[in-house]
Amino acid sequence: MSEKEKINILGVDVSAKTMDETVDELMGYLGDGSTHTVYTPNSEIIYMAYKDEEFKNILNSADVKSADGIGVVYASKILRKPLTERVAGYDLMHAFFKKAKDRGVRVFLFGSKPTVAENAGKMLSDMYEGLEICGTRNGYFKPEETDEIVNMINASNPDVVLVCLGAPKQEKWIYENKDKIKKGIVMGLGGSLDTLTGVTQRAPESWQKLGLEWAYRLVREPRRIGRMMALPRFGLTVFFKGKRYGKK
């Protein structure tokens, strides 16, 4: 990415591309025979990386790091390098598949509870005719099962692998195994399979437009209050310390 195509937020180089531009970038990776990695950091993930140098390096190693969350957009405005729009992982998945379905793209789904990936696969197949779900695997596994999962992925010959294990587990898993995966676009997409199948409910569009998706999730899942405390800490840290990172 050129300097104009990214913005550094607390040490993480986030893509400044729009949704359409990001989809075009992914389309360009299809069929090139290489392995590409995609992360979608929100403010909580970026703050996590700010506190953890190793995780920050993992995030920055990805080919694509799209801005998932209104907090990242607000941070860009504080740094006077405003992003045009947020490119949330769930929305990116749909926008990408809508365009890629005509290419007969093969997709492997990895993550969530047993049966969720299978159900998600059926839904995606119905939504995007031409998309082929070539394999699924739930997200419950022991470390010693990792090679077996990688072999399963490779045997299915996917063009796209969705890894939905939640942050930072999914990013670390992708980073540790990307060189073992023969080819494809490997995307860390958090709870996308759960949202797609209705296991969790996304905020209504009106809440999303107001930048209150985080508040909706908190209302529905009060136990997230501890994690949500990272949001004000993230904002204050960007305000007081953010500018020095952009000078690097």
Side-chain angles (χ1 to χ4, degrees), residues 43-110:
S43 52
E44 181 184 351
I45 292 173
I46 293 176
Y47 188 72
M48 199 182 300
Y50 169 72
K51 306 290 285 185
D52 183 341
E53 188 73 18
E54 181 182 1
F55 184 47
K56 182 194 302 179
N57 292 335
I58 288 174
L59 289 183
N60 283 329
S61 72
D63 296 289
V64 177
K65 299 171 288 293
S66 69
D68 185 325
I70 197 65
V72 181
V73 176
Y74 287 157
S76 73
K77 293 179 180 179
I78 291 173
L79 298 174
R80 297 184 180 180
K81 294 183 179 180
L83 294 169
T84 304
E85 61 182 338
R86 72 172 188 157
V87 182
Y90 184 76
D91 298 328
L92 177 59
M93 174 186 73
H94 283 291
F96 177 40
F97 287 162
K98 183 178 181 179
K99 194 165 186 178
K101 62 182 175 62
D102 296 330
R103 296 270 294 268
V105 169
R106 295 170 59 85
V107 182
F108 190 100
L109 306 179
F110 173 32

Short mmCIF file of all heavy atoms in Angstrom, two decimals, residues 43-110:
data_model
loop_
_atom_site.label_atom_id
_atom_site.label_comp_id
_atom_site.label_asym_id
_atom_site.label_seq_id
_atom_site.Cartn_x
_atom_site.Cartn_y
_atom_site.Cartn_z
N SER A 43 -11.66 -0.84 16.55
CA SER A 43 -10.91 -0.07 17.54
C SER A 43 -10.41 -0.94 18.68
O SER A 43 -9.30 -0.75 19.20
CB SER A 43 -11.78 1.07 18.09
OG SER A 43 -13.03 0.59 18.53
N GLU A 44 -11.20 -1.94 19.07
CA GLU A 44 -10.79 -2.85 20.15
C GLU A 44 -9.54 -3.63 19.75
O GLU A 44 -8.60 -3.79 20.54
CB GLU A 44 -11.93 -3.80 20.48
CG GLU A 44 -11.62 -4.78 21.60
CD GLU A 44 -12.75 -5.77 21.83
OE1 GLU A 44 -13.83 -5.60 21.24
OE2 GLU A 44 -12.53 -6.72 22.61
N ILE A 45 -9.52 -4.11 18.50
CA ILE A 45 -8.38 -4.89 18.01
C ILE A 45 -7.14 -4.01 17.88
O ILE A 45 -6.03 -4.42 18.23
CB ILE A 45 -8.74 -5.54 16.67
CG1 ILE A 45 -9.81 -6.63 16.90
CG2 ILE A 45 -7.51 -6.16 16.01
CD1 ILE A 45 -10.36 -7.22 15.62
N ILE A 46 -7.32 -2.78 17.39
CA ILE A 46 -6.18 -1.88 17.25
C ILE A 46 -5.61 -1.52 18.62
O ILE A 46 -4.39 -1.46 18.80
CB ILE A 46 -6.58 -0.62 16.47
CG1 ILE A 46 -6.89 -0.99 15.01
CG2 ILE A 46 -5.47 0.44 16.53
CD1 ILE A 46 -7.40 0.17 14.18
N TYR A 47 -6.49 -1.30 19.60
CA TYR A 47 -6.00 -0.99 20.94
C TYR A 47 -5.26 -2.20 21.54
O TYR A 47 -4.27 -2.05 22.23
CB TYR A 47 -7.16 -0.57 21.85
CG TYR A 47 -6.69 -0.04 23.19
CD1 TYR A 47 -6.08 1.20 23.29
CD2 TYR A 47 -6.86 -0.79 24.34
CE1 TYR A 47 -5.64 1.69 24.51
CE2 TYR A 47 -6.42 -0.32 25.57
CZ TYR A 47 -5.81 0.92 25.64
OH TYR A 47 -5.36 1.40 26.86
N MET A 48 -5.75 -3.39 21.24
CA MET A 48 -5.09 -4.62 21.67
C MET A 48 -3.67 -4.67 21.09
O MET A 48 -2.71 -5.02 21.78
CB MET A 48 -5.91 -5.82 21.18
CG MET A 48 -5.66 -7.14 21.90
SD MET A 48 -6.66 -8.48 21.15
CE MET A 48 -8.33 -7.83 21.41
N ALA A 49 -3.55 -4.30 19.81
CA ALA A 49 -2.25 -4.31 19.14
C ALA A 49 -1.33 -3.22 19.69
O ALA A 49 -0.11 -3.39 19.77
CB ALA A 49 -2.44 -4.12 17.65
N TYR A 50 -1.93 -2.10 20.08
CA TYR A 50 -1.15 -1.01 20.69
C TYR A 50 -0.47 -1.47 21.98
O TYR A 50 0.66 -1.05 22.28
CB TYR A 50 -2.09 0.17 20.96
CG TYR A 50 -1.49 1.27 21.81
CD1 TYR A 50 -0.52 2.12 21.30
CD2 TYR A 50 -1.92 1.46 23.13
CE1 TYR A 50 0.02 3.13 22.08
CE2 TYR A 50 -1.40 2.47 23.90
CZ TYR A 50 -0.42 3.31 23.38
OH TYR A 50 0.11 4.30 24.17
N LYS A 51 -1.13 -2.35 22.70
CA LYS A 51 -0.59 -2.86 23.96
C LYS A 51 0.28 -4.10 23.77
O LYS A 51 0.91 -4.56 24.71
CB LYS A 51 -1.75 -3.21 24.90
CG LYS A 51 -2.75 -2.08 25.14
CD LYS A 51 -2.18 -0.95 25.96
CE LYS A 51 -2.08 -1.32 27.42
NZ LYS A 51 -1.64 -0.18 28.25
N ASP A 52 0.28 -4.66 22.55
CA ASP A 52 0.98 -5.94 22.30
C ASP A 52 1.75 -5.82 20.98
O ASP A 52 1.17 -5.94 19.90
CB ASP A 52 -0.05 -7.07 22.23
CG ASP A 52 0.58 -8.44 22.04
OD1 ASP A 52 1.74 -8.53 21.61
OD2 ASP A 52 -0.12 -9.44 22.31
N GLU A 53 3.04 -5.61 21.06
CA GLU A 53 3.88 -5.39 19.87
C GLU A 53 3.83 -6.58 18.92
O GLU A 53 3.79 -6.40 17.69
CB GLU A 53 5.32 -5.13 20.30
CG GLU A 53 6.24 -4.69 19.16
CD GLU A 53 5.98 -3.27 18.71
OE1 GLU A 53 5.35 -2.50 19.47
OE2 GLU A 53 6.40 -2.93 17.58
N GLU A 54 3.83 -7.79 19.46
CA GLU A 54 3.80 -8.97 18.61
C GLU A 54 2.51 -9.03 17.80
O GLU A 54 2.53 -9.32 16.59
CB GLU A 54 3.93 -10.24 19.46
CG GLU A 54 3.92 -11.52 18.64
CD GLU A 54 4.01 -12.78 19.49
OE1 GLU A 54 4.05 -12.67 20.73
OE2 GLU A 54 4.03 -13.88 18.91
N PHE A 55 1.39 -8.74 18.44
CA PHE A 55 0.11 -8.75 17.75
C PHE A 55 0.06 -7.63 16.71
O PHE A 55 -0.50 -7.81 15.61
CB PHE A 55 -1.03 -8.62 18.75
CG PHE A 55 -2.40 -8.72 18.14
CD1 PHE A 55 -2.71 -9.73 17.23
CD2 PHE A 55 -3.39 -7.81 18.47
CE1 PHE A 55 -3.98 -9.84 16.67
CE2 PHE A 55 -4.66 -7.90 17.91
CZ PHE A 55 -4.95 -8.91 17.00
N LYS A 56 0.64 -6.49 17.02
CA LYS A 56 0.70 -5.38 16.07
C LYS A 56 1.43 -5.81 14.80
O LYS A 56 0.98 -5.55 13.68
CB LYS A 56 1.40 -4.18 16.68
CG LYS A 56 1.46 -2.96 15.76
CD LYS A 56 2.44 -1.91 16.27
CE LYS A 56 2.10 -1.43 17.66
NZ LYS A 56 3.05 -0.43 18.16
N ASN A 57 2.54 -6.50 14.96
CA ASN A 57 3.31 -6.98 13.80
C ASN A 57 2.51 -7.99 12.98
O ASN A 57 2.61 -8.03 11.75
CB ASN A 57 4.63 -7.58 14.26
CG ASN A 57 5.58 -6.56 14.84
OD1 ASN A 57 5.50 -5.37 14.49
ND2 ASN A 57 6.49 -6.98 15.70
N ILE A 58 1.73 -8.82 13.68
CA ILE A 58 0.88 -9.79 12.99
C ILE A 58 -0.16 -9.07 12.13
O ILE A 58 -0.36 -9.40 10.95
CB ILE A 58 0.19 -10.73 14.00
CG1 ILE A 58 1.22 -11.70 14.60
CG2 ILE A 58 -0.96 -11.50 13.34
CD1 ILE A 58 0.67 -12.57 15.71
N LEU A 59 -0.80 -8.06 12.69
CA LEU A 59 -1.79 -7.30 11.93
C LEU A 59 -1.15 -6.65 10.71
O LEU A 59 -1.69 -6.70 9.60
CB LEU A 59 -2.44 -6.22 12.80
CG LEU A 59 -3.41 -6.67 13.89
CD1 LEU A 59 -4.00 -5.44 14.59
CD2 LEU A 59 -4.53 -7.53 13.33
N ASN A 60 0.00 -6.03 10.92
CA ASN A 60 0.64 -5.30 9.82
C ASN A 60 1.20 -6.21 8.74
O ASN A 60 1.55 -5.74 7.65
CB ASN A 60 1.75 -4.40 10.37
CG ASN A 60 1.20 -3.14 11.01
OD1 ASN A 60 0.16 -2.64 10.59
ND2 ASN A 60 1.88 -2.62 12.02
N SER A 61 1.27 -7.52 9.01
CA SER A 61 1.79 -8.44 8.01
C SER A 61 0.75 -8.78 6.94
O SER A 61 1.09 -9.34 5.90
CB SER A 61 2.25 -9.75 8.68
OG SER A 61 1.13 -10.51 9.13
N ALA A 62 -0.52 -8.43 7.19
CA ALA A 62 -1.60 -8.80 6.26
C ALA A 62 -1.54 -7.98 4.98
O ALA A 62 -1.08 -6.84 4.95
CB ALA A 62 -2.95 -8.62 6.94
N ASP A 63 -2.07 -8.57 3.91
CA ASP A 63 -2.16 -7.86 2.64
C ASP A 63 -3.23 -6.77 2.69
O ASP A 63 -3.09 -5.72 2.08
CB ASP A 63 -2.49 -8.84 1.51
CG ASP A 63 -1.38 -9.86 1.30
OD1 ASP A 63 -0.32 -9.47 0.80
OD2 ASP A 63 -1.58 -11.03 1.65
N VAL A 64 -4.31 -7.06 3.40
CA VAL A 64 -5.42 -6.12 3.52
C VAL A 64 -5.79 -5.97 4.99
O VAL A 64 -5.94 -6.96 5.70
CB VAL A 64 -6.67 -6.60 2.74
CG1 VAL A 64 -7.84 -5.64 2.94
CG2 VAL A 64 -6.34 -6.74 1.26
N LYS A 65 -5.94 -4.71 5.44
CA LYS A 65 -6.39 -4.42 6.80
C LYS A 65 -7.46 -3.35 6.69
O LYS A 65 -7.17 -2.16 6.69
CB LYS A 65 -5.22 -3.95 7.67
CG LYS A 65 -4.10 -4.97 7.81
CD LYS A 65 -2.88 -4.40 8.49
CE LYS A 65 -2.13 -3.45 7.58
NZ LYS A 65 -1.51 -4.13 6.41
N SER A 66 -8.71 -3.77 6.59
CA SER A 66 -9.80 -2.82 6.38
C SER A 66 -10.34 -2.31 7.72
O SER A 66 -10.24 -2.98 8.74
CB SER A 66 -10.92 -3.46 5.57
OG SER A 66 -11.58 -4.47 6.31
N ALA A 67 -10.91 -1.13 7.68
CA ALA A 67 -11.39 -0.46 8.89
C ALA A 67 -12.76 -0.97 9.29
O ALA A 67 -13.78 -0.55 8.73
CB ALA A 67 -11.43 1.04 8.67
N ASP A 68 -12.81 -1.88 10.25
CA ASP A 68 -14.08 -2.44 10.72
C ASP A 68 -14.49 -1.71 11.99
O ASP A 68 -13.93 -1.94 13.05
CB ASP A 68 -13.90 -3.93 11.00
CG ASP A 68 -15.20 -4.62 11.38
OD1 ASP A 68 -16.04 -3.99 12.05
OD2 ASP A 68 -15.38 -5.78 11.01
N GLY A 69 -15.47 -0.85 11.89
CA GLY A 69 -15.95 -0.17 13.09
C GLY A 69 -15.90 1.33 12.95
O GLY A 69 -14.93 1.89 12.43
N ILE A 70 -16.94 1.98 13.45
CA ILE A 70 -17.02 3.44 13.36
C ILE A 70 -15.94 4.10 14.20
O ILE A 70 -15.51 5.22 13.91
CB ILE A 70 -18.43 3.92 13.78
CG1 ILE A 70 -18.68 5.34 13.31
CG2 ILE A 70 -18.61 3.78 15.28
CD1 ILE A 70 -18.73 5.51 11.81
N GLY A 71 -15.45 3.41 15.25
CA GLY A 71 -14.40 3.97 16.08
C GLY A 71 -13.13 4.22 15.31
O GLY A 71 -12.41 5.19 15.56
N VAL A 72 -12.83 3.35 14.33
CA VAL A 72 -11.64 3.53 13.51
C VAL A 72 -11.82 4.75 12.60
O VAL A 72 -10.88 5.51 12.37
CB VAL A 72 -11.37 2.27 12.67
CG1 VAL A 72 -10.12 2.43 11.82
CG2 VAL A 72 -11.22 1.05 13.58
N VAL A 73 -13.03 4.93 12.08
CA VAL A 73 -13.31 6.10 11.24
C VAL A 73 -13.17 7.38 12.05
O VAL A 73 -12.57 8.37 11.59
CB VAL A 73 -14.73 6.00 10.63
CG1 VAL A 73 -15.06 7.26 9.84
CG2 VAL A 73 -14.83 4.77 9.73
N TYR A 74 -13.71 7.39 13.28
CA TYR A 74 -13.57 8.56 14.15
C TYR A 74 -12.10 8.85 14.45
O TYR A 74 -11.67 10.01 14.48
CB TYR A 74 -14.34 8.35 15.45
CG TYR A 74 -15.84 8.41 15.32
CD1 TYR A 74 -16.67 7.80 16.25
CD2 TYR A 74 -16.44 9.09 14.26
CE1 TYR A 74 -18.06 7.85 16.13
CE2 TYR A 74 -17.82 9.14 14.15
CZ TYR A 74 -18.62 8.52 15.08
OH TYR A 74 -19.98 8.57 14.96
N ALA A 75 -11.33 7.78 14.67
CA ALA A 75 -9.90 7.95 14.95
C ALA A 75 -9.19 8.61 13.77
O ALA A 75 -8.33 9.47 13.95
CB ALA A 75 -9.26 6.59 15.25
N SER A 76 -9.56 8.22 12.56
CA SER A 76 -8.95 8.82 11.37
C SER A 76 -9.24 10.31 11.29
O SER A 76 -8.41 11.10 10.82
CB SER A 76 -9.43 8.11 10.10
OG SER A 76 -10.77 8.43 9.79
N LYS A 77 -10.42 10.71 11.74
CA LYS A 77 -10.78 12.12 11.74
C LYS A 77 -9.98 12.89 12.79
O LYS A 77 -9.57 14.03 12.55
CB LYS A 77 -12.29 12.29 11.98
CG LYS A 77 -13.14 11.75 10.83
CD LYS A 77 -14.62 11.89 11.11
CE LYS A 77 -15.44 11.36 9.95
NZ LYS A 77 -16.91 11.47 10.21
N ILE A 78 -9.77 12.27 13.93
CA ILE A 78 -8.94 12.89 14.97
C ILE A 78 -7.54 13.14 14.43
O ILE A 78 -6.91 14.17 14.71
CB ILE A 78 -8.88 11.99 16.22
CG1 ILE A 78 -10.24 11.95 16.92
CG2 ILE A 78 -7.81 12.48 17.20
CD1 ILE A 78 -10.32 10.96 18.07
N LEU A 79 -7.05 12.19 13.62
CA LEU A 79 -5.70 12.29 13.06
C LEU A 79 -5.68 13.14 11.79
O LEU A 79 -4.63 13.28 11.16
CB LEU A 79 -5.17 10.88 12.76
CG LEU A 79 -5.03 9.97 13.97
CD1 LEU A 79 -4.63 8.56 13.54
CD2 LEU A 79 -4.01 10.53 14.94
N ARG A 80 -6.82 13.70 11.42
CA ARG A 80 -6.96 14.57 10.25
C ARG A 80 -6.57 13.88 8.95
O ARG A 80 -6.05 14.48 8.02
CB ARG A 80 -6.13 15.85 10.45
CG ARG A 80 -6.63 16.68 11.63
CD ARG A 80 -5.90 17.97 11.78
NE ARG A 80 -6.40 18.74 12.91
CZ ARG A 80 -5.92 19.94 13.29
NH1 ARG A 80 -4.93 20.49 12.59
NH2 ARG A 80 -6.43 20.56 14.33
N LYS A 81 -6.86 12.58 8.91
CA LYS A 81 -6.71 11.80 7.69
C LYS A 81 -7.98 10.96 7.54
O LYS A 81 -7.94 9.73 7.59
CB LYS A 81 -5.48 10.90 7.77
CG LYS A 81 -4.16 11.64 7.80
CD LYS A 81 -2.99 10.67 7.79
CE LYS A 81 -1.66 11.40 7.80
NZ LYS A 81 -0.52 10.44 7.79
N PRO A 82 -9.12 11.63 7.39
CA PRO A 82 -10.41 10.93 7.46
C PRO A 82 -10.59 9.84 6.41
O PRO A 82 -10.32 10.05 5.22
CB PRO A 82 -11.43 12.06 7.27
CG PRO A 82 -10.68 13.14 6.56
CD PRO A 82 -9.29 13.07 7.09
N LEU A 83 -11.02 8.68 6.88
CA LEU A 83 -11.37 7.59 5.98
C LEU A 83 -12.70 7.92 5.30
O LEU A 83 -13.59 8.51 5.91
CB LEU A 83 -11.51 6.28 6.76
CG LEU A 83 -10.22 5.73 7.40
CD1 LEU A 83 -10.55 4.60 8.36
CD2 LEU A 83 -9.26 5.25 6.33
N THR A 84 -12.84 7.50 4.05
CA THR A 84 -14.07 7.76 3.32
C THR A 84 -15.25 7.00 3.93
O THR A 84 -16.35 7.52 4.05
CB THR A 84 -13.92 7.34 1.85
OG1 THR A 84 -12.80 8.02 1.29
CG2 THR A 84 -15.16 7.69 1.05
N GLU A 85 -14.99 5.76 4.33
CA GLU A 85 -16.04 4.92 4.91
C GLU A 85 -15.41 3.76 5.66
O GLU A 85 -14.23 3.46 5.47
CB GLU A 85 -16.96 4.39 3.81
CG GLU A 85 -16.26 3.52 2.78
CD GLU A 85 -17.19 3.03 1.69
OE1 GLU A 85 -18.42 3.00 1.91
OE2 GLU A 85 -16.70 2.69 0.60
N ARG A 86 -16.18 3.13 6.50
CA ARG A 86 -15.70 1.92 7.16
C ARG A 86 -15.94 0.73 6.23
O ARG A 86 -16.87 0.74 5.42
CB ARG A 86 -16.38 1.69 8.50
CG ARG A 86 -17.82 1.26 8.42
CD ARG A 86 -18.32 0.86 9.80
NE ARG A 86 -19.64 0.27 9.74
CZ ARG A 86 -20.14 -0.53 10.65
NH1 ARG A 86 -19.42 -0.85 11.70
NH2 ARG A 86 -21.35 -1.02 10.54
N VAL A 87 -15.08 -0.25 6.34
CA VAL A 87 -15.21 -1.45 5.52
C VAL A 87 -15.29 -2.63 6.49
O VAL A 87 -14.31 -3.32 6.76
CB VAL A 87 -14.02 -1.60 4.55
CG1 VAL A 87 -14.19 -2.83 3.67
CG2 VAL A 87 -13.89 -0.35 3.68
N ALA A 88 -16.47 -2.82 7.06
CA ALA A 88 -16.68 -3.86 8.06
C ALA A 88 -16.55 -5.25 7.45
O ALA A 88 -16.96 -5.48 6.30
CB ALA A 88 -18.06 -3.70 8.69
N GLY A 89 -15.98 -6.17 8.20
CA GLY A 89 -15.72 -7.51 7.70
C GLY A 89 -16.96 -8.22 7.18
O GLY A 89 -16.93 -8.84 6.11
N TYR A 90 -18.06 -8.14 7.91
CA TYR A 90 -19.30 -8.81 7.50
C TYR A 90 -19.80 -8.25 6.17
O TYR A 90 -20.21 -9.01 5.28
CB TYR A 90 -20.36 -8.63 8.59
CG TYR A 90 -21.64 -9.38 8.32
CD1 TYR A 90 -21.72 -10.76 8.51
CD2 TYR A 90 -22.78 -8.70 7.89
CE1 TYR A 90 -22.91 -11.45 8.26
CE2 TYR A 90 -23.97 -9.39 7.65
CZ TYR A 90 -24.02 -10.76 7.84
OH TYR A 90 -25.19 -11.45 7.60
N ASP A 91 -19.76 -6.93 6.04
CA ASP A 91 -20.19 -6.29 4.79
C ASP A 91 -19.23 -6.60 3.65
O ASP A 91 -19.66 -6.79 2.51
CB ASP A 91 -20.30 -4.78 4.99
CG ASP A 91 -21.33 -4.41 6.04
OD1 ASP A 91 -22.33 -5.13 6.19
OD2 ASP A 91 -21.11 -3.40 6.74
N LEU A 92 -17.94 -6.65 3.95
CA LEU A 92 -16.95 -6.97 2.93
C LEU A 92 -17.16 -8.38 2.40
O LEU A 92 -17.05 -8.63 1.20
CB LEU A 92 -15.54 -6.83 3.52
CG LEU A 92 -14.37 -7.20 2.61
CD1 LEU A 92 -14.37 -6.33 1.36
CD2 LEU A 92 -13.04 -7.07 3.36
N MET A 93 -17.47 -9.31 3.29
CA MET A 93 -17.75 -10.69 2.88
C MET A 93 -18.85 -10.72 1.84
O MET A 93 -18.72 -11.36 0.77
CB MET A 93 -18.14 -11.53 4.10
CG MET A 93 -18.59 -12.95 3.77
SD MET A 93 -19.22 -13.86 5.21
CE MET A 93 -20.81 -13.04 5.47
N HIS A 94 -19.96 -10.03 2.12
CA HIS A 94 -21.09 -10.04 1.20
C HIS A 94 -20.78 -9.32 -0.10
O HIS A 94 -21.13 -9.80 -1.19
CB HIS A 94 -22.32 -9.43 1.87
CG HIS A 94 -22.99 -10.32 2.85
ND1 HIS A 94 -23.68 -11.46 2.48
CD2 HIS A 94 -23.09 -10.26 4.22
CE1 HIS A 94 -24.17 -12.06 3.55
NE2 HIS A 94 -23.83 -11.36 4.62
N ALA A 95 -20.13 -8.17 -0.01
CA ALA A 95 -19.80 -7.41 -1.22
C ALA A 95 -18.85 -8.20 -2.12
O ALA A 95 -18.98 -8.19 -3.35
CB ALA A 95 -19.19 -6.07 -0.83
N PHE A 96 -17.90 -8.89 -1.51
CA PHE A 96 -16.93 -9.69 -2.25
C PHE A 96 -17.61 -10.89 -2.92
O PHE A 96 -17.42 -11.15 -4.12
CB PHE A 96 -15.83 -10.14 -1.29
CG PHE A 96 -14.79 -11.03 -1.92
CD1 PHE A 96 -14.31 -10.81 -3.20
CD2 PHE A 96 -14.28 -12.11 -1.20
CE1 PHE A 96 -13.34 -11.63 -3.77
CE2 PHE A 96 -13.30 -12.93 -1.75
CZ PHE A 96 -12.84 -12.70 -3.04
N PHE A 97 -18.42 -11.62 -2.18
CA PHE A 97 -19.09 -12.79 -2.74
C PHE A 97 -20.08 -12.41 -3.83
O PHE A 97 -20.28 -13.16 -4.79
CB PHE A 97 -19.78 -13.59 -1.65
CG PHE A 97 -18.83 -14.36 -0.76
CD1 PHE A 97 -19.23 -14.83 0.48
CD2 PHE A 97 -17.53 -14.63 -1.17
CE1 PHE A 97 -18.36 -15.54 1.30
CE2 PHE A 97 -16.65 -15.34 -0.37
CZ PHE A 97 -17.06 -15.80 0.87
N LYS A 98 -20.71 -11.27 -3.69
CA LYS A 98 -21.66 -10.80 -4.70
C LYS A 98 -20.96 -10.64 -6.05
O LYS A 98 -21.53 -10.94 -7.12
CB LYS A 98 -22.29 -9.48 -4.27
CG LYS A 98 -23.35 -8.95 -5.21
CD LYS A 98 -23.97 -7.67 -4.68
CE LYS A 98 -25.05 -7.15 -5.62
NZ LYS A 98 -25.68 -5.89 -5.10
N LYS A 99 -19.72 -10.19 -6.00
CA LYS A 99 -18.96 -9.95 -7.24
C LYS A 99 -18.21 -11.20 -7.68
O LYS A 99 -18.02 -11.42 -8.88
CB LYS A 99 -17.98 -8.79 -7.03
CG LYS A 99 -17.40 -8.25 -8.32
CD LYS A 99 -16.73 -6.90 -8.09
CE LYS A 99 -16.28 -6.30 -9.41
NZ LYS A 99 -15.68 -4.95 -9.22
N ALA A 100 -17.79 -12.03 -6.72
CA ALA A 100 -16.95 -13.19 -7.04
C ALA A 100 -17.75 -14.42 -7.45
O ALA A 100 -17.19 -15.36 -8.01
CB ALA A 100 -16.07 -13.53 -5.84
N LYS A 101 -19.05 -14.43 -7.18
CA LYS A 101 -19.85 -15.64 -7.42
C LYS A 101 -19.81 -16.08 -8.88
O LYS A 101 -19.88 -17.28 -9.17
CB LYS A 101 -21.30 -15.41 -6.98
CG LYS A 101 -22.05 -14.33 -7.72
CD LYS A 101 -23.46 -14.15 -7.17
CE LYS A 101 -24.18 -12.98 -7.82
NZ LYS A 101 -24.36 -13.13 -9.27
N ASP A 102 -19.69 -15.13 -9.79
CA ASP A 102 -19.68 -15.47 -11.21
C ASP A 102 -18.36 -16.10 -11.64
O ASP A 102 -18.26 -16.58 -12.78
CB ASP A 102 -19.96 -14.22 -12.06
CG ASP A 102 -21.35 -13.66 -11.83
OD1 ASP A 102 -22.26 -14.45 -11.51
OD2 ASP A 102 -21.53 -12.44 -11.95
N ARG A 103 -17.40 -16.11 -10.73
CA ARG A 103 -16.10 -16.73 -11.04
C ARG A 103 -16.05 -18.17 -10.53
O ARG A 103 -15.01 -18.82 -10.63
CB ARG A 103 -14.97 -15.91 -10.37
CG ARG A 103 -14.81 -14.48 -10.89
CD ARG A 103 -13.86 -14.40 -12.05
NE ARG A 103 -12.51 -14.74 -11.63
CZ ARG A 103 -11.60 -13.84 -11.21
NH1 ARG A 103 -11.92 -12.55 -11.11
NH2 ARG A 103 -10.38 -14.22 -10.87
N GLY A 104 -17.17 -18.67 -9.99
CA GLY A 104 -17.20 -20.04 -9.48
C GLY A 104 -16.25 -20.23 -8.31
O GLY A 104 -15.59 -21.28 -8.19
N VAL A 105 -16.21 -19.25 -7.43
CA VAL A 105 -15.26 -19.26 -6.32
C VAL A 105 -15.57 -20.38 -5.32
O VAL A 105 -16.73 -20.60 -4.95
CB VAL A 105 -15.26 -17.89 -5.62
CG1 VAL A 105 -14.49 -17.94 -4.31
CG2 VAL A 105 -14.66 -16.84 -6.53
N ARG A 106 -14.52 -21.07 -4.90
CA ARG A 106 -14.63 -22.13 -3.90
C ARG A 106 -14.27 -21.55 -2.53
O ARG A 106 -13.22 -20.92 -2.37
CB ARG A 106 -13.68 -23.28 -4.25
CG ARG A 106 -14.05 -23.99 -5.55
CD ARG A 106 -12.97 -24.96 -5.99
NE ARG A 106 -12.71 -26.00 -4.98
CZ ARG A 106 -13.41 -27.12 -4.88
NH1 ARG A 106 -14.42 -27.34 -5.69
NH2 ARG A 106 -13.11 -28.03 -3.95
N VAL A 107 -15.15 -21.80 -1.54
CA VAL A 107 -14.99 -21.19 -0.21
C VAL A 107 -14.98 -22.25 0.88
O VAL A 107 -15.83 -23.15 0.91
CB VAL A 107 -16.14 -20.19 0.07
CG1 VAL A 107 -15.94 -19.52 1.42
CG2 VAL A 107 -16.23 -19.15 -1.05
N PHE A 108 -14.02 -22.13 1.79
CA PHE A 108 -13.94 -22.99 2.97
C PHE A 108 -14.29 -22.15 4.19
O PHE A 108 -13.74 -21.05 4.38
CB PHE A 108 -12.53 -23.57 3.12
CG PHE A 108 -12.42 -24.65 4.18
CD1 PHE A 108 -12.42 -26.00 3.82
CD2 PHE A 108 -12.32 -24.34 5.53
CE1 PHE A 108 -12.34 -27.00 4.78
CE2 PHE A 108 -12.23 -25.32 6.51
CZ PHE A 108 -12.24 -26.66 6.13
N LEU A 109 -15.18 -22.66 5.05
CA LEU A 109 -15.63 -21.95 6.24
C LEU A 109 -15.07 -22.62 7.49
O LEU A 109 -15.30 -23.81 7.71
CB LEU A 109 -17.15 -21.92 6.31
CG LEU A 109 -17.89 -21.37 5.08
CD1 LEU A 109 -19.40 -21.42 5.30
CD2 LEU A 109 -17.44 -19.94 4.78
N PHE A 110 -14.36 -21.86 8.31
CA PHE A 110 -13.71 -22.40 9.50
C PHE A 110 -14.03 -21.52 10.70
O PHE A 110 -13.64 -20.35 10.75
CB PHE A 110 -12.19 -22.46 9.25
CG PHE A 110 -11.35 -22.83 10.44
CD1 PHE A 110 -11.81 -23.69 11.43
CD2 PHE A 110 -10.06 -22.31 10.56
CE1 PHE A 110 -11.02 -24.02 12.52
CE2 PHE A 110 -9.26 -22.64 11.64
CZ PHE A 110 -9.74 -23.49 12.63
#
